[in-house]
Amino acid sequence: MTHTTRIVTIRREARHRRERARLAGRGGGWRLPLVGAIVVSIVGTIGLTGIIGASALGVMSAGLPDPSELDGLGFAQATIVYDRAAKVELGRFEKQRRRVLGFDQIPKQILDATTAAEDRTFWDNAGIDIPALVSAAAENASGTGERGASTITQQLVRARLLPDDVVSAGADRYVRKVKEIIQSLRINERYPGETGKQQVVSAYLNEIFYGHGAYGVAAAAEIYFGVSDLSKLTIAQAALLAGLPKAPTSLDPYRFAEPDKKGRLVVPAGSPPVVRRDWVLGGIAATGRWTRLEEAELRAAMDEPVVLAGERPVRIPGGHFTWQVRRQLQAILGPDADLERGGYRVTTTLDWRAQRLAEKWLTATAIVPNVSRRSAERILDRSKIPSGDRAWIRALRGKDLHNGALVALDYRTGDVLAYVGSAGYARDNLASRRFEPKYDAAGDGARQPGSAWKPILYAAAFDAKQLSPGSLLLDVTTEFDRRQDWAPRDADQRERGPVLVRRALQYSLNIPAVRALQRVGNERVAKTAEKMGIRFAGGREAFLQSGLAGALGTVEVRPLDLTSAYGTIANGGVHLPPRMILEVKTADGRVVWKADEPVGTKAISPTAAYLVTDILAGNTDPAQNDIWAEKLQLRGPGGTKRRPAAAKTGTTNDARDLGTYGFLPPTKDGVGLVVGVWLGNSDHSYPRAARPATSLTAAAPMWRAFMRDYTRKWPVTSFKRPKGLIQARIDAWSGGRPGAWTRETTKEWFIRGTQPGSRKAIDKDGLLYRIGCGGWRVDPLKAELGPAAWRADVADWLRRAHRGVGVVGRHDSATAYFWGERSWGGPLIGSCYRPRENGGDRGDGGGQGDGGGDKKDKKKQPPPPEPTPAPTD
């Protein structure tokens, strides 16, 4: 058809419109008595049997919903999830993609296009089009056609305002048609005039299906043209959308679209959706109420190519967090709540800034080392990774470390501030067995915590008053289970002999941790851990069955839970479960649920929690632990003041799981930050690297980078000591009160009433020492409080220690001094001679020496001949 022919046709349709409007009359002029006559006429025309005369109206009206239900008509809408500021959309749950609009949000050209396509007498008719109905009835009765002639009001009624049995499959189509007509007339009577028409057309435009998953015109504009602001649609685009509801599947533009030379997705001019678009444009020109199209404008609109937005992947900026929110939301609203259709607006706890930082650093740590060097440098530049961090990131190349997770909580409320379940939720292009983007390793994945478990163990021991930070534990490789030939070693395969709990935990020694678990018992640790928020993979029984191996973090837990447990320590022993939702509203803004003020439960005593905190705080303080602090130390604003922080790393066997967990003191406004990091492979495979990464080389620097960036402007605060603690001076090697055996003392914190010398003192005086060779000598056998079977390995260590440091035993670990020390607390019990010095560890001067003097004396001595191997945990 030529443009001239089209214009002639348009003018002819304009004359027809005026005539039909005259016949239909004004909507407000109809009255129900006339309805009966219309229905009787139509019923007679279509030959519906069993209904005679005016009684048709009463029979067919029975059971119809009240027309006033249009006022409360709801639409299936997506549930939308937002960040804590209710500004950033994190995702949505939907089966029908729909965005509901009010009449004032619908552009006039959309209204004109819709009426031109579906009901050109809409603004004038009484809900039905009499001439069209009569014509359709005649055609249907004669068998010459299947004409519908449904108005916009009728289509809305059919979709939402008829009983289910009338519109269900198999129902009588003639009965449905008559009831549809009656209900449409009733709607028009109930909602008269311009305002009523506006309400009807708004409901229609929000309800109708446009194909390709789009319900409502707003969703259709986004799906087909990528337009969220409908005022930006061209008249040609509006016309194409308006033409789709007639046959949304067969007219789907995507069925016909082809890429052009520019890479655009273009629908050919002669295809059915474009032909119908042009017909609608002609209708707009002929019948438009607000839109005026001159001949040139009409021609230009018809010539406008149909360029589609293209298939777009569903964006879920919140990633795994959004799906965790869904679980909590279903639990809050109940199993019957329809989240895909309910249209809820959910304000979550997520801090978008924290989330973006978490994603940034996980990308840098787990993605960058596994892409090409050129791509890696582009990512680092685009992410604005500081030059000071690029060295440790580049060092991870080739370490076969592909995935990670990060959780940040406010331990004062339980609010989840950042939650990233994999190194890249949208990185499907990098997916492999080692990197599964969509699997949530933070909340669904159970991983071995390794040494990151030790603070939970020691917290239980302190709370049970079985150990104190000043308790003596032996760092001597021991066959703890002869039946299984199980003799765990420290990460660097050194045995440092007598060690107090504070240093054993700070320096992450494995063997003292096993002895600690034997002292307090698996049952007590399991109960305490569960109170702190831990859910063991396999339940509590799994931890009980692990035996003493449970001390080393061999039982899998979820990183989310472990982070929450660290938050319990930070919060003075009070546990608040992680929460992700602050408020839930309906689509119209009505609050249906609001989070209560958080109320925690006591898991451990404030005093036990502080003792663990105080020990872990040493890991970020170079004055206490320069090895760990090199990777974990934080600075306040301007970098001039050290920021106190408590942290612990964890590296599992063969480096399959790397972790770092830690927290800050609460800020002055009450925010308590705890952050947990896990790195590894999705398939839990061992890294294929000659020298795998460790927590100190991967997880720790990433933890520090996130903490540093997120708290950059926070004021520096300190951990506050609770009541119920007392500081006492103790023997620096054996714990307990100083005595004649003492060569050095130190101060330590105790729960009041358990300090050395008290009635319920935990630590025995002089536990490590025995008289021999005319003086007090170190006797580790006296300090072995475990089963008698363990004494053989302690005796073997004593024999080897007499020969000095670096002497390897039957379990392939070697005698060593503790970092920075030059003895094991004094001369060893046994032979009364001083062995030659044979070097070894950093600070290992060979021989047992006197161990006398204070720290100043030690600093004057010459440096050791060899540095201590760097720890791997």
Side-chain angles (χ1 to χ4, degrees):
M1 182 183 293
T2 65
H3 284 305
T4 302
T5 305
R6 290 177 187 171
I7 301 302
V8 170
T9 303
I10 290 166
R11 290 170 178 167
R12 184 183 301 119
E13 288 182 349
R15 291 196 299 271
H16 291 169
R17 172 178 175 268
R18 290 192 293 271
E19 179 63 17
R20 292 176 70 178
R22 185 185 64 79
L23 292 172
R26 294 289 175 179
W30 287 87
R31 294 293 181 267
L32 284 180
L34 185 56
V35 174
I38 294 170
V39 173
V40 170
S41 173
I42 294 172
V43 168
T45 303
I46 64 177
L48 187 64
T49 60
I51 301 176
I52 302 173
S55 64
L57 179 60
V59 172
M60 300 302 284
S61 297
L64 290 177
D66 189 327
S68 64
E69 287 188 11
L70 181 61
D71 285 330
L73 199 62
F75 303 95
Q77 295 187 62
T79 291
I80 304 177
V81 179
Y82 295 98
D83 71 330
R84 68 187 299 117
K87 293 181 179 179
V88 178
E89 181 180 319
L90 304 176
R92 53 178 63 201
F93 315 129
E94 58 187 353
K95 287 182 179 176
Q96 299 178 356
R97 189 167 177 183
R98 175 185 277 116
R99 178 162 58 93
V100 176
L101 304 172
F103 181 79
D104 58 349
Q105 296 175 290
I106 303 170
K108 296 298 189 290
Q109 66 180 17
I110 291 287
L111 297 172
D112 279 341
T114 300
T115 55
E118 297 294 335
D119 185 359
R120 297 187 179 184
T121 67
F122 172 76
W123 297 102
D124 303 310
N125 67 40
I128 61 174
D129 186 337
I130 298 296
L133 279 172
V134 172
S135 178
E139 287 184 16
N140 294 342
S142 66
T144 59
E146 289 290 328
R147 187 170 176 179
S150 294
T151 63
I152 284 174
T153 307
Q154 286 175 263
Q155 292 181 56
L156 177 62
V157 164
R158 186 187 313 149
R160 299 298 302 276
L161 294 167
L162 288 179
D164 290 341
D165 62 326
V166 174
V167 295
S168 61
D172 191 306
R173 62 189 296 261
Y174 292 112
V175 171
R176 176 192 59 77
K177 191 66 177 181
V178 172
K179 286 181 177 286
E180 175 188 302
I181 292 169
I182 294 171
Q183 188 72 321
S184 296
L185 292 166
R186 295 172 75 203
I187 290 290
N188 194 75
E189 183 75 13
R190 174 64 179 80
Y191 299 94
E194 184 79 7
T195 303
K197 289 293 186 180
Q198 291 177 2
Q199 193 163 350
V200 169
V201 75
S202 299
Y204 172 85
L205 286 169
N206 285 316
E207 172 64 29
I208 205 71
F209 180 52
Y210 285 80
H212 220 77
Y215 289 81
V217 69
E222 289 191 43
I223 287 175
Y224 291 114
F225 298 116
V227 174
S228 57
D229 182 354
L230 270 64
S231 67
K232 295 181 179 179
L233 289 172
T234 67
I235 189 64
Q237 290 173 329
L240 183 130
L241 295 179
L244 298 179
K246 177 180 176 62
T249 301
S250 60
L251 291 174
D252 184 345
Y254 281 105
R255 293 183 58 194
F256 307 95
E258 299 173 354
D260 68 359
K261 295 180 180 179
K262 297 180 180 179
R264 303 178 303 174
L265 202 58
V266 179
V267 182
S271 62
V274 179
V275 171
R276 180 155 174 81
R277 177 203 68 174
D278 292 348
W279 178 81
V280 174
L281 283 169
I284 295 172
T287 65
R289 198 177 196 211
W290 294 280
T291 308
R292 297 288 181 263
L293 288 178
E294 299 299 332
E295 184 173 343
E297 294 172 316
L298 178 60
R299 184 177 294 110
M302 289 180 173
D303 289 339
E304 181 180 307
V306 177
V307 180
L308 302 180
E311 299 284 359
R312 296 184 177 185
V314 177
R315 289 187 66 253
I316 305 180
H320 302 96
F321 176 79
T322 301
W323 298 110
Q324 291 289 345
V325 165
R326 180 190 173 92
R327 294 180 185 177
Q328 288 199 7
L329 183 62
Q330 196 77 69
I332 288 169
L333 299 179
D336 296 331
D338 189 345
L339 302 186
E340 285 83 6
R341 297 167 57 88
Y344 299 104
R345 302 296 180 260
V346 184
T347 302
T348 70
T349 61
L350 196 80
D351 182 328
W352 186 239
R353 176 172 165 267
Q355 183 75 359
R356 295 306 300 272
L357 285 172
E359 293 171 351
K360 165 184 171 177
W361 286 108
L362 272 168
T363 297
T365 306
I367 299 293
V368 166
N370 295 299
V371 298
S372 70
R373 295 182 186 276
R374 179 177 296 179
S375 296
E377 292 305 313
R378 282 200 299 264
I379 295 173
L380 293 176
D381 291 341
R382 186 170 61 246
S383 301
K384 298 181 180 180
I385 300 297
S387 57
D389 288 296
R390 298 196 180 195
W392 65 262
I393 293 171
R394 289 168 181 150
L396 295 176
R397 180 171 293 277
K399 298 300 184 183
D400 197 29
L401 193 66
H402 295 266
N403 202 5
L406 184 149
V407 176
L409 306 173
D410 180 347
Y411 56 75
R412 290 294 185 94
T413 60
D415 288 358
V416 177
L417 302 175
Y419 187 101
V420 185
S422 77
Y425 182 84
R427 292 274 186 171
D428 292 327
N429 60 314
L430 299 177
S432 67
R433 287 189 303 107
R434 284 175 165 74
F435 173 49
E436 173 47 61
K438 296 298 188 286
Y439 184 69
D440 183 355
D444 295 337
R447 297 290 184 262
Q448 291 185 353
S451 292
W453 178 254
K454 290 169 186 172
I456 312 300
L457 162 63
Y458 284 109
F462 295 162
D463 196 51
K465 298 180 181 177
Q466 294 293 319
L467 290 173
S468 76
S471 296
L472 171 62
L473 295 171
L474 293 179
D475 183 31
V476 173
T477 304
T478 303
E479 191 173 34
F480 293 113
D481 189 336
R482 291 187 175 181
R483 292 172 299 177
Q484 299 184 22
D485 191 28
W486 185 62
R489 296 168 297 184
D490 288 332
D492 60 1
Q493 297 184 219
R494 302 298 174 104
E495 304 167 88
R496 292 176 173 81
V499 181
L500 298 189
V501 163
R502 175 177 291 274
R503 297 211 289 185
L505 176 53
Q506 275 185 352
Y507 286 82
S508 198
L509 299 179
N510 290 335
I511 303 168
V514 176
R515 285 182 159 84
L517 180 56
Q518 187 273 335
R519 191 84 59 89
V520 69
N522 284 65
E523 183 72 33
R524 178 64 183 251
V525 173
K527 288 181 179 179
T528 301
E530 288 175 339
K531 290 180 181 179
M532 298 172 74
I534 296 293
R535 296 169 291 172
F536 297 105
R540 182 190 297 185
E541 192 62 27
F543 186 78
L544 299 180
Q545 291 178 354
S546 71
L548 295 181
L552 306 182
T554 58
V555 181
E556 294 179 336
V557 299
R558 296 166 182 82
L560 171 63
D561 294 347
L562 190 56
T563 305
S564 179
Y566 270 69
T568 301
I569 296 171
N571 199 36
V574 176
H575 174 65
L576 288 109
R579 69 175 184 180
M580 300 181 176
I581 300 175
L582 295 175
E583 186 176 73
V584 182
K585 294 180 179 179
T586 58
D588 59 2
R590 180 172 53 89
V591 176
V592 295
W593 185 87
K594 190 176 182 66
D596 296 327
E597 284 297 316
V599 178
T601 57
K602 181 180 177 182
I604 57 175
S605 67
T607 49
Y610 179 80
L611 293 178
V612 176
T613 298
D614 190 51
I615 293 172
L616 297 184
N619 287 343
T620 66
D621 182 358
Q624 296 187 54
N625 186 342
D626 60 340
I627 299 173
W628 265 258
E630 180 186 355
K631 305 295 186 181
L632 295 170
Q633 182 180 191
L634 296 170
R635 312 294 296 185
T640 58
K641 188 175 182 181
R642 188 178 67 83
R643 184 188 297 280
K648 181 71 186 74
T649 59
T651 303
T652 60
N653 189 36
D654 293 324
R656 288 199 302 178
D657 297 292
L658 313 179
T660 299
Y661 297 80
F663 50 88
L664 302 181
T667 61
K668 293 180 180 179
D669 56 359
V671 177
L673 180 63
V674 57
V675 175
V677 167
W678 168 82
L679 295 172
N681 290 324
S682 296
D683 62 357
H684 223 185
S685 59
Y686 298 114
R688 299 169 298 182
R691 294 176 62 87
T694 69
S695 295
L696 277 178
T697 61
M702 189 187 112
W703 179 91
R704 180 173 70 171
F706 173 84
M707 279 285 203
R708 176 198 65 208
D709 289 359
Y710 185 55
T711 65
R712 191 178 300 277
K713 296 181 180 180
W714 290 17
V716 174
T717 55
S718 300
F719 293 109
K720 292 185 178 180
R721 194 166 52 249
K723 296 180 179 179
L725 291 171
I726 188 171
Q727 193 174 45
R729 185 169 291 280
I730 63 172
D731 183 273
W733 289 96
S734 65
R737 286 185 300 182
W741 52 84
T742 297
R743 287 171 169 78
E744 185 181 351
T745 64
T746 187
K747 288 184 178 181
E748 189 54 85
W749 289 101
F750 296 87
I751 298 174
R752 186 177 294 276
T754 67
Q755 70 273 20
S758 65
R759 188 169 59 88
K760 295 184 179 181
I762 294 173
D763 306 313
K764 296 180 181 180
D765 300 337
L767 180 61
L768 183 63
Y769 295 97
R770 187 187 303 276
I771 290 290
C773 297
W776 290 98
R777 296 275 172 153
V778 172
D779 183 2
L781 284 166
K782 185 171 179 285
E784 178 56 88
L785 303 181
W790 296 359
R791 296 174 64 84
D793 283 314
V794 177
D796 178 67
W797 179 88
L798 180 59
R799 285 191 294 271
R800 288 184 287 122
H802 268 292
R803 294 162 54 194
V805 299
V807 182
V808 179
R810 67 188 184 97
H811 300 302
D812 296 324
S813 53
T815 55
Y817 293 143
F818 199 87
W819 287 279
E821 301 294 349
R822 301 183 66 83
S823 82
W824 291 290
L828 300 174
I829 195 76
S831 301
C832 301
Y833 68 91
R834 182 185 180 96
R836 66 181 179 84
E837 296 190 0
N838 59 351
D841 251 354
R842 164 186 165 188
D844 295 357
Q848 70 272 29
D850 291 334
D854 56 20
K855 296 292 184 183
K856 293 181 180 179
D857 295 330
K858 291 180 180 180
K859 290 181 180 178
K860 294 177 182 178
Q861 298 193 25
E866 294 182 27
T868 298
T872 59
D873 187 14

